[in-house]
Amino acid sequence: MDYFPDLFDSEFLIDYIDCVDSLDDGLTLLANGTDELLDLAILDRLFRANASAKRGILCEECDLFSLPQNFVQKFFRFHTTDDVVQMSDLLQMPAEMQAVNGTKASGLEVLCIVLRRLAYPCRFSDLCALFPRTEPELCLLFNLGIHHIYDRFHHKLTDFDQPWLAVPELLRYCDAVGRKGAPLPNCWGFIDGTVRPICKPKYHQREVFNGHKRVHGLKFQSIVTPNGLVSNLYGPIEGRRHDSALLNASGAMDYMEQNFNANGAPLCLWGPSIPP
């Protein structure tokens, strides 16, 4: 908060956050607010004492359950704290996790750090008030959580052999697409490539520069089904490559030709036109 001494000492802001008498009141006010600077001020007032103690408020499940529901919805994108705990169980988060530098945290806290970080673009310094840890610790714990989830569940995004991609399910998707007026009765999903911008690298800039988007980036290919799931994800490859290169490299077409057929008729995807 030392970056904004004049703002945080202003009478208006002091009056605004002086109405916060308890942790619950403050978090409710924070979750309902829209001004980011006021959010930072409230967090600073609520968690300054916790920060000095070097203890995260989400290290124990009882602390998580004390959070207001609208706070959980805004910062973790789940309806209730029970949903967060259930997700922790489903993702097989360990009772205790340890980063490479020896920092220890509960699996639930690590998941909350991941959810908060991914809920909206933010810096690790923005998380320090909510999770009273240093920025390097938050970074290591976030990476620890991401690697844990990826190592155990990445096959659900890369392997077509999934229960929701069985032929009976694909036919249900085709019916759903057809009910929306699609001219193709056998279309079960939608495919496209996307460019994710990156910082301009020091070396090999041409390899990742995308002339269409005019940015340096990496390309991914995703297949989305009508149930809202990304059923398959391939990448990254160099940002300069065309979507057709993604399609060929992923092997998706070969797999679908061999396995995605109903009564001898092939099932298809809708996507942007790709030149032969």
Side-chain angles (χ1 to χ4, degrees), residues 208-226:
V208 295
F209 183 75
N210 184 276
H212 177 62
K213 301 293 185 179
R214 309 298 296 177
V215 296
H216 295 85
L218 300 174
K219 295 197 75 171
F220 295 83
Q221 173 187 274
S222 63
I223 300 175
V224 180
T225 45

Side-chain angles (χ1 to χ4, degrees), residues 11-205:
E11 294 182 1
F12 168 76
L13 194 53
I14 291 175
D15 291 340
Y16 184 88
I17 63 177
D18 276 345
C19 64
V20 179
D21 297 325
S22 66
L23 177 64
D24 185 77
D25 292 339
L27 293 176
T28 301
L29 183 63
L30 176 65
N32 291 330
T34 57
D35 192 305
E36 293 183 1
L37 287 178
L38 295 181
D39 285 354
L40 289 173
I42 297 170
L43 281 173
D44 182 58
R45 173 64 62 89
L46 290 174
F47 301 115
R48 188 181 295 276
N50 285 344
S52 63
K54 287 294 180 182
R55 176 182 177 275
I57 66 166
L58 300 179
C59 292
E60 302 293 340
E61 291 189 12
C62 60
D63 293 321
L64 176 63
F65 280 106
S66 68
L67 297 175
Q69 180 175 334
N70 50 359
F71 180 91
V72 176
Q73 292 176 349
K74 180 176 181 180
F75 289 100
F76 299 143
R77 300 295 177 89
F78 279 85
H79 291 294
T80 66
T81 53
D82 291 334
D83 294 335
V84 179
V85 175
Q86 183 180 9
M87 179 58 65
S88 178
D89 294 336
L90 293 174
L91 293 177
Q92 304 171 14
M93 303 300 292
E96 183 178 86
M97 303 181 71
Q98 182 172 338
V100 293
N101 69 337
T103 299
K104 295 182 179 180
S106 68
L108 183 60
E109 182 188 7
V110 171
L111 177 61
C112 289
I113 292 173
V114 172
L115 294 177
R116 175 66 188 96
R117 171 74 168 168
L118 298 180
Y120 190 78
C122 58
R123 300 165 298 178
F124 285 110
S125 59
D126 301 329
L127 276 63
C128 289
L130 180 58
F131 304 94
R133 297 180 179 272
T134 64
E135 294 177 46
E137 287 177 332
L138 289 172
C139 180
L140 290 173
L141 291 176
F142 172 79
N143 290 334
L144 182 65
I146 288 293
H147 284 295
H148 171 87
I149 296 171
Y150 178 83
D151 291 341
R152 283 162 178 78
F153 301 103
H154 73 276
H155 64 279
K156 294 187 177 294
L157 287 176
T158 58
D159 189 355
F160 280 105
D161 187 16
Q162 302 293 338
W164 61 86
L165 293 179
V167 172
E169 294 297 316
L170 297 181
L171 293 177
R172 292 180 59 241
Y173 302 152
C174 292
D175 292 339
V177 174
R179 288 195 299 269
K180 289 296 183 178
L184 295 174
N186 60 338
C187 177
W188 63 269
F190 308 89
I191 185 172
D192 198 7
T194 182
V195 179
R196 308 304 298 174
I198 63 173
C199 295
K200 182 172 67 173
K202 184 175 182 180
Y203 304 106
H204 308 297
Q205 296 179 14

